[in-house]
Amino acid sequence: MRFSGFRVFKEGLTGNKGWTPHWRDPEPKSEYDIIIIGGGGHGLSTAYYLAKEHGLTNVAVLEKGYIGGGSIGRNTTIVRANYFLQGNSEFYSHSLKLWEGLEEDLNYNVMHSQRGIINLFHSDGQRDAAARRGNMMISQGDDAILLGRDELRKMLPYLNFDDLRFPLYGGLYHPRGGTARHDAVAWGFARGADQRGVDLIQNCEVIGIDIENGAVRGVQTTRGPIRAKKVAMVAAGRSGQVAAMAGMRLPIESHVLQAFVTEGLKPCIDHVVTFGMGHFYISQSDKGGLVFGGDLDFYASYAARGNLPTVENVMEAGVALMPMIGKAKVLRSWGGIMDMSPDGSPIIDKTHIDGLFLNCGWNYGGFKAVPGSGNVFAHLIATGRYHENATKFRLDRFRTGRGVMDEEGKGSQHNLH
Amino acid sequence: MRITCPHCGERDRREFYYRGAATDLERPAPDAGEEAWDNFVFLRENPAGETRDLWYHEGGCGAWIVVARNTVTHEVLGTQLASEARS
């Protein structure tokens, strides 16, 4: 089934009876060439690109819950390429380019909206840092514009320009940044992978990884054993438990990050706005809800909910920055589990076990990386070589100290990134 | 979440700074080698369930405290001064 304007029109006139399920619900086979553990955004896009770019379709994605039920459905949907360090910079640039062609590629409306992101700054020093980051983004081939206070006021007149603690000096504007509909991203990749022959197997939890003589042989699941020549672990949020089945300890600590959405309002916030000093960022969904969040709760957690002190912090920062949102009612809040790595950058690598691959450590940045991560991970799995835009996400960079990519120079404590 | 400081009693979580897993108390010798230091600085057990982590009573007495805690339910199971946990 292909989506098109004509199809929507026709279905509208004929009672919408012609729509079919977006993907099959197959029984697991006893053997695949490649098994992907984790049917989240990254796992699904890995499967999609394995099929599309490498012609590998004897692939199964094993999901312990349902497609779209993990972090791909629990984020704040922001897409951007405003990284500073080499390694991250070219990767997120690559991912943003894939986003820009994604809807046509998938024949699926992921509601990718390049409404622009503005990172606010509040001092001369922060302006210098923003200019430096902007120059790095431009030299990477992406876009960045340094806004002064007056330009900022024209674009975001609703901000509190009288704040004495954090006076608004301007913002770093990244016009190609924006948002996308997160569920649709999962569904689009799932449908695209399924159409090319990948088996998406839901309610199938991996409970063991079979390793013989240093090589992976398959997995044990709640729906029986499945053999495979290659196994990819893509289970951010639960990476540690999955890797433990292969006898590995990861440089990951799991933390809860909360997010909030208000009742639907008329359009009022046209961009994504980030207020780093207040640990607050916000955008408005196409449905009208203000979607916003803040920082981690800061203690290791696997609960998909946080505690009230962080809620209070986020609300205070939001109202301090844009007093107009004070009257909006918060509809709901939730927490997502973050794989926090010691340098704030992800890991996409082989492991010391033959045929076993690892993709984890996405910190807060997993959503925007969905197309890029799947694309470069599929390349690694299929060819055994690192993709040219993902050569630096090595697992051993912590042990050796070579190639650590700490964007903000925070040090090795996991929760500080 | 409320944490019982061995000195000050039960206090709001906001008085405490979170450092990380309590393995931070098991610092290897300077010459213990790459693997031991990798293990200490970067690698984590990261359990979904009971864990022991290290908190600092920043807004109180300034003690470092080992908190036994459940990472899935946020239940605090017990606390101990880090100085006692290490000895």
Side-chain angles (χ1 to χ4, degrees):
Chain A
M1 184 181 68
R2 275 192 70 77
F3 289 107
S4 64
F6 172 74
R7 184 73 195 259
V8 170
F9 188 65
K10 182 176 162 237
E11 290 295 334
L13 292 175
T14 54
N16 283 306
K17 290 181 183 137
W19 303 118
T20 53
H22 286 191
W23 54 84
R24 299 164 295 130
D25 186 21
E27 284 299 312
K29 291 191 277 186
S30 61
E31 183 164 7
Y32 291 92
D33 290 338
I34 300 167
I35 283 176
I36 295 169
I37 304 174
H42 291 241
L44 294 168
S45 85
T46 302
Y48 174 76
Y49 289 112
L50 276 172
K52 179 184 170 234
E53 300 206 338
H54 305 280
L56 298 169
T57 57
N58 188 19
V59 175
V61 177
L62 308 183
E63 167 56 43
K64 75 170 176 177
Y66 60 92
I67 297 293
S71 294
I72 187 67
R74 306 186 76 82
N75 53 72
T76 46
T77 78
I78 294 166
V79 174
R80 58 187 167 91
N82 56 355
Y83 281 72
F84 181 77
L85 293 177
Q86 227 176 36
N88 280 328
S89 181
E90 68 263 28
F91 169 76
Y92 288 105
S93 183
H94 176 60
S95 194
L96 183 57
K97 290 187 190 93
L98 291 172
W99 274 107
E100 287 172 331
L102 194 61
E103 293 176 334
E104 281 182 30
D105 191 25
L106 294 176
N107 176 234
Y108 206 87
N109 182 9
V110 301
M111 296 167 73
H112 182 215
S113 159
Q114 293 185 291
R115 58 186 68 183
I117 291 179
I118 299 171
N119 305 122
L120 302 173
F121 51 79
H122 317 273
S123 68
D124 290 333
Q126 280 196 317
R127 177 169 37 218
D128 290 348
R132 185 162 172 252
R133 176 174 295 268
N135 286 334
M136 284 303 287
M137 289 157 66
I138 291 166
S139 72
Q140 177 59 45
D142 295 315
D143 59 336
I145 299 168
L146 197 67
L147 303 175
R149 184 178 161 91
D150 293 338
E151 293 157 298
L152 185 69
R153 195 192 280 267
K154 270 185 208 143
M155 288 177 75
L156 310 177
Y158 50 80
L159 297 183
N160 175 12
F161 282 85
D162 300 322
D163 192 318
L164 294 175
R165 177 65 185 88
F166 295 115
L168 290 169
Y169 275 46
L172 181 62
Y173 177 35
H174 173 38
R176 280 166 64 226
T179 62
R181 167 88 198 279
H182 53 190
D183 302 312
V185 175
W187 299 335
F189 274 116
R191 172 172 167 270
D194 177 85
Q195 281 178 340
R196 285 167 175 79
V198 172
D199 282 358
L200 308 179
I201 300 165
Q202 304 179 69
N203 299 310
C204 181
E205 183 174 355
V206 172
I207 50 177
I209 297 176
D210 299 332
I211 296 159
E212 280 171 32
N213 304 322
V216 74
R217 293 280 178 259
V219 297
Q220 301 290 324
T221 80
T222 49
R223 295 175 68 171
I226 307 174
R227 287 191 304 278
K229 297 177 190 77
K230 293 176 182 174
V231 173
M233 303 185 284
V234 203
R238 286 281 177 173
S239 302
Q241 279 80 45
V242 174
M245 291 188 269
M248 293 172 66
R249 258 159 71 96
L250 296 182
I252 300 289
E253 195 173 87
S254 300
H255 283 264
V256 59
L257 180 68
Q258 301 194 60
F260 309 85
V261 65
T262 69
E263 59 191 333
L265 304 170
K266 287 185 179 176
C268 58
I269 295 176
D270 303 327
H271 312 85
V272 180
V273 181
T274 78
F275 174 34
M277 295 314 290
H279 301 295
F280 176 83
Y281 65 96
I282 190 166
S283 66
Q284 186 168 21
S285 79
D286 291 351
K287 215 159 58 178
L290 303 181
V291 181
F292 58 99
D295 222 326
L296 295 176
D297 272 32
F298 283 120
Y299 46 83
S301 172
Y302 284 91
R305 58 183 171 74
N307 265 295
L308 291 172
T310 302
V311 177
E312 195 176 29
N313 273 350
V314 172
M315 301 293 164
E316 282 175 357
V319 175
L321 179 69
M322 38 182 83
M324 70 167 184
I325 67 170
K327 286 186 179 172
K329 293 185 179 68
V330 173
L331 209 57
R332 57 181 182 273
S333 71
W334 66 95
I337 307 305
M338 312 287 119
D339 269 18
M340 299 304 293
S341 71
D343 63 354
S345 296
I347 295 159
I348 303 176
D349 209 346
K350 307 167 195 175
T351 67
H352 66 285
I353 296 159
D354 264 357
L356 185 66
F357 299 83
L358 176 66
N359 179 324
C360 69
W362 288 98
N363 295 268
Y364 322 101
F367 180 70
K368 63 183 168 294
V370 163
S373 164
N375 186 270
V376 303
F377 197 39
H379 185 275
L380 178 65
I381 296 166
T383 67
R385 294 189 307 275
Y386 300 122
H387 189 282
E388 58 176 348
N389 292 316
T391 56
K392 294 184 167 31
F393 299 137
R394 302 287 69 81
L395 176 59
D396 69 357
R397 67 182 186 266
F398 305 107
R399 182 171 52 78
T400 63
R402 282 189 290 276
V404 170
M405 286 179 289
D406 189 344
E407 287 271 334
E408 294 174 341
K410 295 266 185 73
S412 65
Q413 191 173 322
H414 298 71
N415 64 348
L416 294 186
H417 295 284
Chain B
M1 189 152 74
R2 292 176 71 78
I3 295 170
T4 304
C5 169
H7 292 143
C8 311
E10 191 185 290
R11 295 299 180 99
D12 191 298
R13 169 259 177 280
R14 270 174 283 204
E15 292 187 8
F16 298 86
Y17 170 81
Y18 175 87
R19 164 71 198 178
T23 50
D24 248 33
L25 297 171
E26 297 152 23
R27 191 181 178 85
D31 58 355
E34 204 171 83
E35 199 173 322
W37 278 96
D38 184 31
N39 215 25
F40 172 71
V41 180
F42 302 116
L43 303 185
R44 292 292 177 265
E45 208 62 49
N46 199 23
E50 288 184 21
T51 190
R52 289 169 79 246
D53 41 30
L54 199 56
W55 299 67
Y56 174 57
H57 197 185
E58 192 177 29
C61 64
W64 282 95
I65 300 164
V66 174
V67 178
R69 207 169 52 84
N70 189 309
T71 57
V72 177
T73 64
H74 292 162
E75 185 186 2
V76 175
L77 304 163
T79 54
Q80 187 183 18
L81 288 176
S83 53
E84 288 171 8
R86 188 149 62 170
S87 61

